[in-house]
Amino acid sequence: MRAAITTTRLPRPAPARVLACGAYLKNRACLLDGDQVYWSPVHGDLGEAASCVALERSVESLLARASGPLQAVTHDLHPDFHSTRVALALAEQWQAPAIGVQHHHAHIGAALAEHAVAGPVIGLALDGFGLGADGSAWGGELLWVNGVAAMQQWQRLDHLVPLPMPGADAAAREPWRMAAAALHALGRGDEIEARFAPQVGVTAAKGVHTLLQRDLQCPRSSSAGRWFDAAAGALGLSVRQAFEAEAAMMLEARAREWLQAHPEFELPWTSLDLRPLLAELFTLAGSGPQAQARGAALFHLALAGGLAHRATELAHAHGTRNVVLGGGCFVNQVLTDRLGAALRRAGLAVFEPHGAGCGDAGLALGQAWIAACAVHVGGTALRCEPTPTFAAET
């Protein structure tokens, strides 16, 4: 039985026929054929065997819709994703190029496809995780992406200051670990055990402190999602998450509560380094629900302010007034509204995905569009320009 396929239409046709195998989380594949986008159902996370089988069946259904031979098959840069393996096998079967597209580049590409934006743009890609072009964990990215005719050119211009993730993937499930990492980054690691042992136990708190001290199992990540976790953990709103993005959702709810009650509340903030802001949140943690709500609002305003300021600088430096938003963090309406308003006040045009959505379930469209543009100009390898040197990487 073939998977149910849905169809959307783009404002301009793609320059090549491409099948995209999507992301790891909330996987969804698509076929880009002219101005038609044929979408598979959302399969779920590819850590589940049933989701992997569903992707394979969807690929068969999508191929049945193609008006001619595939001109490329595209996938995420991560070599271990099942979607990557499916794409490589399919490319060999069809004798078509297999094109890897970096995760955050693809998030920006999805909005470019939906809006037919031409010319260079500054892309803000915020999410939990995507393998970076340098092999590290990205997720709070400011990118330069060239226009339709040369989409294979892009550059990582800046990013949120990376935090260590003590325990690696465990830190994405337990926000207190990211809060502990923030304490360590502030030079206050000796507070970790006293602050977190009552919630997680002495052994766990001491263990995380040791990992941070010795820099063991502590990969760095620029992920906006992990900064949300750190803020929620610092305020005492979340220790362990029952589901993905629970901590971020709690943080947004408290921020909205505060901002609705205090509509004139503002915070001038121009930095991508949120560590000083986290220091303020730790002082508010034990001061009651209203203080937590104020802290949640401060975090949202600081994140939006820092991103808007840097994006405006980069837009002016690169001769564009177009800014594109992408990534699952933009499900957060407090962040999206505040950031969008600040960018527009600076005279910039703001584009975000609508039909495909900002999260990983819409990522395949960006993969397909970027690969189609690369094929159009005779390329099968995407070029990431050298990344500038950053001052605050510690």
Side-chain angles (χ1 to χ4, degrees), residues 293-381:
R294 180 177 180 274
L298 285 171
F299 176 79
H300 282 75
L301 296 181
L303 181 58
L307 289 167
H309 177 79
R310 188 65 176 129
T312 301
E313 288 184 332
L314 293 173
H316 292 159
H318 288 79
T320 181
R321 60 182 300 272
N322 294 330
V323 177
V324 174
L325 310 183
C329 288
F330 287 111
V331 170
N332 183 317
Q333 281 304 126
V334 173
L335 172 63
T336 303
D337 293 347
R338 292 279 172 160
L339 176 57
L343 292 169
R344 293 183 183 97
R345 284 196 301 270
L348 302 175
V350 181
F351 301 89
E352 52 190 290
H354 294 297
C358 59
D360 283 2
L363 188 81
L365 175 58
Q367 291 176 336
W369 183 259
I370 290 165
C373 293
V375 170
H376 175 63
V377 296
T380 58

Side-chain angles (χ1 to χ4, degrees), residues 60-121:
E60 295 176 2
S61 297
L62 291 168
L63 290 173
R65 302 293 187 99
S67 63
L70 293 181
Q71 293 166 277
V73 182
T74 183
H75 56 85
D76 190 86
L77 290 185
H78 203 299
D80 297 330
F81 289 173
H82 186 67
S83 52
T84 301
R85 293 192 287 267
V86 168
L88 294 176
L90 185 63
E92 183 176 1
Q93 175 187 336
W94 281 77
Q95 294 298 292
I99 300 177
V101 179
Q102 197 277 327
H103 186 93
H104 301 97
H105 187 192
H107 272 310
I108 302 307
L112 293 177
E114 285 195 339
H115 294 283
V117 182
V121 305

Side-chain angles (χ1 to χ4, degrees), residues 79-301:
D80 297 330
F81 289 173
H82 186 67
S83 52
T84 301
R85 293 192 287 267
V86 168
L88 294 176
L90 185 63
E92 183 176 1
Q93 175 187 336
W94 281 77
Q95 294 298 292
I99 300 177
V101 179
Q102 197 277 327
H103 186 93
H104 301 97
H105 187 192
H107 272 310
I108 302 307
L112 293 177
E114 285 195 339
H115 294 283
V117 182
V121 305
I122 300 301
L124 302 184
L126 309 180
D127 63 7
F129 168 78
L131 184 67
D134 61 359
S136 67
W138 291 7
E141 312 307 312
L142 292 91
L143 308 178
W144 171 84
V145 179
N146 207 345
V148 172
M151 190 69 71
Q152 73 273 29
Q153 294 179 325
W154 66 286
Q155 186 179 22
R156 187 194 198 200
L157 296 178
D158 213 337
H159 54 73
L160 297 179
V161 169
L163 280 176
M165 295 175 57
D169 289 347
R173 300 187 295 271
E174 301 180 6
W176 76 271
R177 291 174 180 258
M178 294 309 304
L183 267 181
H184 178 78
L186 288 165
R188 296 166 53 183
D190 56 354
E191 299 177 27
I192 290 173
E193 292 169 47
R195 184 175 289 272
F196 296 109
Q199 289 78 43
V200 304
V202 173
T203 300
K206 186 174 183 178
V208 162
H209 188 196
T210 299
L211 291 178
L212 290 163
Q213 284 179 310
R214 299 180 181 178
D215 196 17
L216 297 174
Q217 298 181 47
C218 288
R220 266 61 177 174
S221 176
S222 58
S223 166
R226 301 293 75 79
W227 273 104
F228 272 96
D229 291 345
L235 286 168
L237 291 174
S238 178
V239 176
R240 295 182 177 89
Q241 301 191 85
F243 53 86
E244 183 191 3
E246 180 186 24
M249 292 168 66
M250 294 173 66
L251 198 69
E252 180 190 8
R254 301 308 299 275
R256 182 182 294 109
E257 169 192 322
W258 180 268
L259 292 170
Q260 286 176 346
H262 304 82
E264 304 303 317
F265 190 67
E266 293 293 344
L267 173 69
W269 193 275
T270 59
S271 174
L272 296 178
D273 185 357
L274 299 172
R275 289 174 294 186
L277 189 279
L278 265 288
E280 172 70 13
L281 301 193
F282 281 113
T283 68
L284 298 173
S287 302
Q290 286 300 303
Q292 288 179 322
R294 180 177 180 274
L298 285 171
F299 176 79
H300 282 75
L301 296 181

